[in-house]
Amino acid sequence: MSAASRSITPGPVQSAHCRYLLRLGDTSLVLGQRLAEWVGHSPALEEDLGLANLSLDLIGQARLLLSYAGELEGQGRDEDALAFLRDAPAFLNMTLAEQPNGDFGRTIVRQCLLDAWQLEVYAGLADSSDRRLASIAAKAIKETRYHFRFSSGWLVRLGDGTEESHRRVQEALNELWRFTTELFAADEVDDALAAAGVAPGLAELQPRWSARIDEVLQEATLVRPAPVPYQWHGKRGVHTEYLGHVLAEMQHLQRTYPGAQW
Amino acid sequence: MSNDWPLYEVFIRSRSGLEHKHVGSLHAADAAMAVEHARDVYTRRQEGVSIWVMRSSDIVASDPTDADALFEPARDKVYRHPTFYAIPDEVKNL
Amino acid sequence: MYTQGLDSLGKECVHTAAGDTAALEARFQGKVDADEKIEPKDWMPDAYRQTLIRQISQHAHSEIVGMLPEGNWISRAPTLRRKAVLIAKVQDEGGHGMYLYSAAETLGIEREQMLEQLLAGTAKYSSIFNYPTLTWADIGAIGWLVDGAAIMNQIPICRCSYGPYARAMVRICKEESFHQRQGFEIMLALARGTPEQQAMAQDALNRWWWPSIMMFGPSDTESRHTAQSMRWKIKRFTNDELRQKFIDITAPQAQFLGLQIPDPDLAWDESTQHFKFGQIDWSEFQAVLKGHGPCNRERLEARRSAHENGRWVREAAAAHAEKQRARAQRAA
């Protein structure tokens, strides 16, 4: 990391294109960081390996997306400068990604909702006018298909498992559902990128996501919660309290030893 | 019944053109989960292009004490091997 | 359990008159001496079976408990590359634990049973994992020293007389080759870094050196199992032989890093062509082994709570599988 890149503030005005990449990259990064908390503590040894694989894929996506965002920004910030030296308001991840793991059921609900979202986003990016982003999405969608298979498979098992497991995942679903509105609430960044043919329009993605989720919920014998108004704005840098703690932990070494190489 | 999920045996085809080979075992609640676990446990380094799993309890194996009866009789059937036949060197393509 | 065909013992294992045992034992030892592998259904002396169950399950437990001290730094790894590498490494350890539990299950013990022994505190695991990881340099030191010592211990086991154990070890050794290198790479970055980073590296070496060389186990004169295990070809080298080999290899690496091994007696001996080293404090080893290490409680507690908190998940998956089976049957 260069010395010039060590700014804590959100930094220069970023283009919509750059901010869009940060939304995707930060979502993958924060979700990957959350999943990694499970490693060594999962309900079964096999699940430790499964969750670690998901986490590794997501961190890999984050690296590609953040590196690209850093180049577009043009301030000399690489993937690590962006990951470790931005404070919470400069992170643009979906609010859902930063929500705590809770029990395994809650982690699976969060994962399934976001996997289904990423599936649509990455599929939509396949014909992006931005060829580099299209190729990142082409790689990521293969990973995401597996993630969705994993998370939806588990959601069905837990929903249609025991009384206790059903209750737990239904509660988690009710609790996390409010963050799904943000996934499809288009703002000026989304609109600008859709207009430029870089990103798919979020309005088109929503029905497909919704149908996919409904299918899983039905098989899992879970009830889809009522819609909740859009109140959470992680993708605009306004987060829940959780993100600050995630970052405090993640950025500990880079913050404590400024400028050191690792 | 055990509290643990049942045991599955895992067979991996390392690349197309090769047969599936036994690589080990794992626990899973159902067959779909066993395939996913096999993927996560046994193909982390691109070891495979195809996975078979089966319940370990469904395998029927021979008994090592029967080895003499099962496998010894093949021992003196040397005529099954090409080297059993003496062909003059000057005869080609045999 | 490794059931039915694979696991059910051969006839000889079940119906053996007392007089026949000697003959079976002689044939068994003959196979071992001829470097033939013993496979799950073959007859084997009960003591051989029990020794293997003990050793393989301890080895498996060590992998699983070993995920914890390193897992402690996943969330704080200093770069995204280091984070990915560390996740992959800790994940590998989980995989290695699984390969080993599988191998042990071929001997007629269930994984659940082994886990219960671990959680009850009656099974041993490598005492090295009862030390804390206090700084990032500890992740480097573990990879370099602990994995280095583990690999040295494990390579000979690839030729172990028991087939499933030997095969698991071949896979493990192949996968572990990156573990030690990534650890050394971390140490190298620190050693070439700021004075604070260098101090961090030296401090880690100071704390991990002695526990690492204790990983080879008690001295040959003290070790009760060595002779029999070598006769059975479960073990190929003595503890002291492996320890010496490790020190001979590692001392020059420390020198390359510009770090000081915390042993004033460590010196090259021209006459033996080996490094001499100081007295090992075996009382510390025994204390940690008996549960009085810095993190014994925390490690077991972490495993216990993962097991307990995961119970409803495992039960739910089993219940769902059962429902599916019932539905399929009704449909048929």
Side-chain angles (χ1 to χ4, degrees):
Chain A
M1 244 178 278
S2 70
S5 68
R6 255 178 267 120
S7 151
I8 299 175
T9 57
V13 177
Q14 292 155 330
S15 67
H17 202 148
C18 173
R19 288 174 73 80
Y20 182 76
L21 292 173
L22 289 175
R23 286 177 179 182
L24 298 184
D26 288 344
T27 300
S28 291
L29 175 58
V30 171
L31 189 59
Q33 171 83 0
R34 278 294 192 205
L35 284 178
E37 293 172 20
W38 274 107
V39 180
H41 307 276
S42 305
L45 207 38
E46 284 83 355
E47 256 42 70
D48 265 330
L49 274 74
L51 291 167
N53 269 345
L54 264 54
S55 174
L56 281 171
D57 287 343
L58 288 162
I59 288 167
Q61 292 169 15
R63 294 180 66 185
L64 295 172
L65 290 161
L66 293 184
S67 296
Y68 187 19
E71 287 172 37
L72 279 186
E73 185 189 58
Q75 299 293 318
R77 296 206 279 187
D78 61 11
E79 59 180 49
D80 287 328
L82 287 169
F84 294 95
L85 299 175
R86 276 179 304 155
D87 205 353
F91 267 75
L92 304 182
N93 57 281
M94 300 300 135
T95 316
L96 181 53
E98 73 205 38
Q99 298 310 303
N101 287 341
D103 64 18
F104 183 74
R106 197 182 150 110
T107 295
I108 288 298
V109 169
R110 184 188 64 198
Q111 193 63 35
C112 191
L113 296 173
L114 279 168
D115 287 342
W117 175 74
Q118 284 186 328
L119 266 184
E120 298 306 334
V121 172
Y122 290 140
L125 287 170
D127 352 289
S128 171
S129 59
D130 176 345
R131 295 321 296 159
R132 178 157 167 195
L133 181 53
S135 83
I136 294 174
K139 173 178 180 294
I141 195 165
K142 292 182 200 150
E143 298 166 345
T144 309
R145 280 194 200 111
Y146 183 75
H147 300 178
F148 182 71
R149 175 186 163 140
F150 176 91
S151 63
S152 62
W154 265 110
L155 195 54
V156 168
R157 283 184 199 103
L158 297 177
D160 185 33
T162 61
E163 256 175 61
E164 182 185 5
S165 69
H166 179 86
R167 176 182 54 76
R168 282 178 186 254
V169 284
Q170 182 67 61
E171 277 171 19
L173 187 65
N174 297 345
E175 165 74 14
L176 294 175
W177 190 255
R178 62 201 159 122
F179 299 111
T180 58
T181 320
E182 180 187 18
L183 305 177
F184 300 100
D187 66 1
E188 71 283 357
V189 169
D190 298 302
D191 292 340
L193 270 87
V198 173
L202 290 179
E204 300 159 32
L205 305 188
Q206 206 278 339
R208 287 204 287 270
W209 175 86
S210 198
R212 202 187 282 275
I213 290 294
D214 280 343
E215 202 180 313
V216 178
L217 293 184
Q218 196 193 352
E219 205 188 336
T221 69
L222 294 167
V223 180
R224 180 182 171 126
V228 179
Y230 177 30
Q231 301 171 46
W232 284 271
H233 304 272
K235 67 182 187 181
R236 305 179 66 83
V238 184
H239 293 274
T240 51
E241 289 176 344
Y242 299 115
L243 184 67
H245 296 280
V246 172
L247 298 185
E249 194 170 335
M250 186 174 87
Q251 299 178 340
H252 156 70
L253 282 169
Q254 292 279 1
R255 298 295 196 185
T256 311
Y257 303 95
Q261 300 293 317
W262 301 92
Chain B
M1 192 193 132
S2 157
N3 290 323
D4 210 354
W5 294 328
L7 199 64
Y8 284 80
E9 298 302 319
V10 181
F11 303 81
I12 303 271
R13 184 200 294 287
S14 56
R15 54 189 166 79
S16 83
L18 296 180
E19 63 275 65
H20 286 77
K21 201 174 150 197
H22 183 245
V23 293
S25 62
L26 48 75
H27 292 266
D30 55 55
M33 193 196 277
V35 170
E36 285 167 23
H37 286 166
R39 179 259 192 193
D40 288 328
V41 177
Y42 290 105
T43 67
R44 298 197 302 288
R45 290 172 169 77
Q46 299 177 291
E47 292 95 334
V49 295
S50 165
I51 294 170
W52 287 351
V53 296
M54 69 182 292
R55 284 283 289 268
S56 309
S57 55
D58 289 338
I59 290 181
V60 179
S62 64
D63 190 309
T65 45
D66 297 336
D68 287 355
L70 291 172
F71 311 117
E72 283 292 311
R75 211 186 157 115
D76 64 356
K77 313 289 192 296
V78 281
Y79 43 80
R80 291 190 198 277
H81 300 278
T83 45
F84 178 73
Y85 303 92
I87 303 289
D89 285 349
E90 50 273 36
V91 183
K92 300 295 177 200
N93 299 319
L94 259 180
Chain C
M1 176 121 142
Y2 217 79
T3 39
Q4 291 281 98
L6 299 185
D7 170 39
S8 65
L9 303 173
K11 284 176 227 141
E12 285 174 340
C13 312
V14 191
H15 316 286
T16 312
D20 300 339
T21 315
L24 287 171
E25 196 143 358
R27 205 176 68 193
F28 165 85
Q29 190 62 47
K31 276 175 88 172
V32 171
D33 291 342
D35 275 330
E36 276 179 50
K37 295 290 181 211
I38 306 300
E39 293 296 341
K41 296 181 65 158
D42 292 342
W43 186 91
M44 62 187 87
D46 196 51
Y48 176 82
R49 183 184 301 277
Q50 295 312 324
T51 300
L52 279 170
I53 288 178
R54 195 188 62 235
Q55 185 176 331
I56 301 173
S57 63
Q58 279 179 13
H59 196 160
H61 298 330
S62 302
E63 298 281 357
I64 301 311
V65 176
M67 297 171 79
L68 298 169
E70 287 178 283
N72 183 37
W73 278 88
I74 288 177
S75 65
R76 293 175 290 171
T79 68
L80 295 182
R81 175 176 174 269
R82 293 273 182 227
K83 188 188 291 294
V85 169
L86 186 56
I87 293 171
K89 174 173 192 277
V90 175
Q91 182 196 39
D92 272 352
E93 276 148 21
H96 298 170
M98 287 197 42
Y99 305 158
L100 289 162
Y101 283 127
S102 294
E105 281 183 293
T106 64
L107 291 158
I109 183 169
E110 292 185 28
R111 184 170 81 175
E112 186 72 10
Q113 226 176 316
M114 292 183 267
L115 286 175
E116 273 163 22
Q117 292 167 357
L118 172 68
L119 300 182
T122 55
K124 289 200 184 95
Y125 56 86
S126 182
S127 58
I128 193 88
F129 301 118
N130 288 318
Y131 291 89
T133 48
L134 302 176
T135 71
W136 172 250
D138 291 13
I139 301 308
I142 288 181
W144 173 39
L145 300 173
V146 176
D147 288 293
I151 290 167
M152 194 139 295
N153 263 326
Q154 287 168 355
I155 285 176
I157 308 177
C158 295
R159 294 189 291 130
C160 164
S161 59
Y162 188 58
Y165 192 23
R167 289 191 288 273
M169 288 318 303
V170 167
R171 186 177 279 271
I172 290 172
C173 286
K174 217 162 78 186
E175 296 188 354
E176 276 205 348
S177 50
F178 98 81
H179 293 186
Q180 193 188 12
R181 292 173 74 99
Q182 67 87 36
F184 191 79
E185 198 194 66
I186 290 174
M187 294 305 273
L188 194 58
L190 295 173
R192 290 178 175 168
T194 66
E196 282 166 309
Q197 287 176 305
Q198 288 164 3
M200 202 187 272
Q202 181 63 54
D203 167 63
L205 175 56
N206 292 348
R207 283 181 291 110
W208 290 95
W209 174 255
W210 289 104
S212 297
I213 65 171
M214 288 181 205
M215 277 177 72
F216 296 95
S219 172
D220 297 344
T221 51
E222 304 287 322
S223 177
R224 285 175 297 143
H225 305 299
T226 297
Q228 183 57 270
S229 285
M230 289 186 73
R231 214 168 87 80
W232 281 334
K233 295 196 180 161
I234 295 174
K235 208 172 168 143
R236 297 272 181 167
F237 297 97
T238 71
N239 296 350
D240 286 336
E241 283 168 350
L242 290 169
R243 187 174 5 253
Q244 183 67 57
K245 211 168 146 190
F246 174 75
I247 293 172
D248 288 346
I249 285 176
T250 312
Q253 294 170 350
Q255 198 177 14
F256 179 86
L257 291 171
L259 299 175
Q260 192 73 42
I261 288 176
D263 177 358
D265 297 323
L266 189 82
W268 178 250
D269 185 339
E270 205 45 62
S271 65
T272 61
Q273 292 290 300
H274 289 296
F275 278 91
K276 283 188 305 190
F277 54 96
Q279 279 291 321
I280 296 172
D281 179 6
W282 289 110
S283 63
E284 176 184 323
F285 179 78
Q286 291 302 339
V288 178
L289 211 57
K290 288 200 177 86
H292 306 301
C295 297
N296 295 57
R297 273 164 198 279
E298 287 80 357
R299 300 294 181 241
L300 274 189
E301 194 41 49
R303 287 313 312 165
R304 274 187 206 121
S305 70
H307 194 72
E308 280 309 309
N309 296 336
R311 189 180 302 280
W312 69 273
V313 177
R314 297 190 300 274
E315 286 172 358
H320 177 72
E322 194 49 51
K323 283 185 191 176
Q324 292 284 75
R325 234 188 323 274
R327 277 180 212 137
Q329 248 164 29
R330 270 201 305 278

